[in-house]
Amino acid sequence: MQPDDIELILDADISEDPCLLFDVVTPDGVLQLLGNVEMGSNHLVVRDLHIGGDAEVQWGWSKLRKLGRVIAEKLNVGYIEIMERFGQRVRTRDVVLVSSGSPVRLSLSFLHGANTPEAARILVKRQLPLRTAHAILTEMVDHGKAFVTVPCVDHLLALKNELSSAGVIAKVHAPRPISVREVRDRTKLSQEVFSVRYGLDLATLRNWEQGRSKPDVAANTLLWTIARNPEAVEESLDMEDGVAPPSP
């Protein structure tokens, strides 16, 4: 494989130096790369590398090392010079961003063989900065799960389906509204006892149950925890003098 055998397609609008997202078109198929790129006079270093591409192509480490040498030979300059000097050697591609939508909190996990560079492109289309997408996906791969607020989601199901096609499983990570009265009824406690046991203001609890106000996100999270694991809430509220909060 020679430098003239490959074509580089850079997502120029969303790449943020030193974090790059680009496709490498080779005779064997298309490889997608996402990472923090450092380029010198005779070397190319990609840190926290994410690799995706044609599923039928087996990109072993030997092949990847060879491809890295070919890319370094093809470019051999810094990021700004890539854009200014190389013309046909690096083709740029615009990414159309979603123009309107609402922020959504998601948990992300992945399947074997997930195409994380494509997942990054999907998230960036929803106005998540590429560097943030790279960091979140790196955390997901390292720890099995990561959490992110996607800034501009116009169609949640479409986003989840797109990520699923890239091997990334997205779930909404925010509490749904819950009936305060049903939670309390499940405990068989009066309003007065319920509010004391779970650290709630009695007047606020009454307003929730009578529909005069609604729990915010934090209160909904507490109510779901009471519904699922009331003992944990009770234990977390049992304080003793001199007991410090847990260290990070």
Side-chain angles (χ1 to χ4, degrees):
M1 189 183 303
Q2 301 299 319
D4 289 341
D5 295 332
I6 68 173
E7 180 183 15
L8 303 181
I9 306 176
L10 176 68
D11 288 282
D13 286 351
I14 63 175
S15 290
E16 302 175 285
D17 187 20
C19 191
L20 302 182
L21 176 60
F22 58 97
D23 292 351
V24 184
V25 182
T26 78
D28 298 325
V30 178
L31 191 69
Q32 295 171 304
L33 300 177
L34 167 66
N36 291 321
V37 178
E38 299 174 9
M39 309 181 79
S41 60
N42 59 0
H43 67 275
L44 170 69
V45 178
V46 183
R47 303 189 186 279
D48 295 325
L49 176 64
H50 292 256
I51 301 171
D54 294 337
E56 65 273 14
V57 180
Q58 299 298 314
W59 298 95
W61 281 112
S62 175
K63 197 171 191 177
L64 288 171
R65 281 194 293 268
K66 181 178 180 181
L67 181 61
R69 290 194 294 269
V70 172
I71 295 173
E73 185 178 348
K74 189 178 184 76
L75 302 181
N76 201 29
V77 292
Y79 172 71
I80 300 301
E81 292 173 297
I82 293 174
M83 302 299 298
E84 292 179 348
R85 293 178 50 191
F86 270 89
Q88 294 303 313
R89 294 193 185 181
V90 179
R91 180 156 61 91
T92 61
R93 171 176 55 202
D94 294 331
V95 175
V96 179
L97 303 183
V98 171
S99 60
S100 63
S102 303
V104 176
R105 296 178 184 177
L106 298 175
S107 67
L108 303 178
S109 57
F110 66 101
L111 303 174
H112 177 71
N115 185 342
T116 45
E118 181 60 25
R121 187 174 286 119
I122 292 166
L123 293 172
V124 170
K125 283 172 60 179
R126 275 77 180 186
Q127 302 189 18
L128 187 72
L130 181 62
R131 271 183 283 191
T132 303
H134 175 249
I136 291 296
L137 292 168
T138 299
E139 179 183 357
M140 178 191 74
V141 172
D142 288 346
H143 301 289
K145 181 175 280 192
F147 303 91
V148 62
T149 299
V150 183
C152 190
V153 178
D154 57 340
H155 195 297
L156 178 59
L157 183 58
L159 171 59
K160 293 173 71 173
N161 287 342
E162 288 179 40
L163 287 171
S164 179
S165 68
V168 173
I169 307 304
K171 297 180 179 179
V172 174
H173 188 69
R176 296 190 304 275
I178 189 170
S179 168
V180 181
R181 179 63 181 270
E182 288 182 9
V183 174
R184 184 174 64 81
D185 284 348
R186 213 177 296 176
T187 65
K188 297 181 169 44
L189 299 175
S190 68
Q191 289 180 333
E192 290 78 5
V193 175
F194 185 89
S195 63
V196 171
R197 182 169 298 189
Y198 298 114
L200 297 168
D201 177 73
L202 178 57
T204 300
L205 176 64
R206 286 172 172 163
N207 286 335
W208 289 344
E209 291 196 5
Q210 294 169 13
R212 288 196 290 265
S213 63
K214 294 181 180 181
D216 60 13
V217 172
N220 257 327
T221 301
L222 174 61
L223 291 165
W224 273 107
T225 307
I226 295 171
R228 290 175 168 174
N229 196 348
E231 293 81 8
V233 179
E234 293 176 28
E235 291 176 8
S236 69
L237 293 175
D238 281 342
M239 303 288 178
E240 294 183 13
D241 292 340
V243 176
S247 57

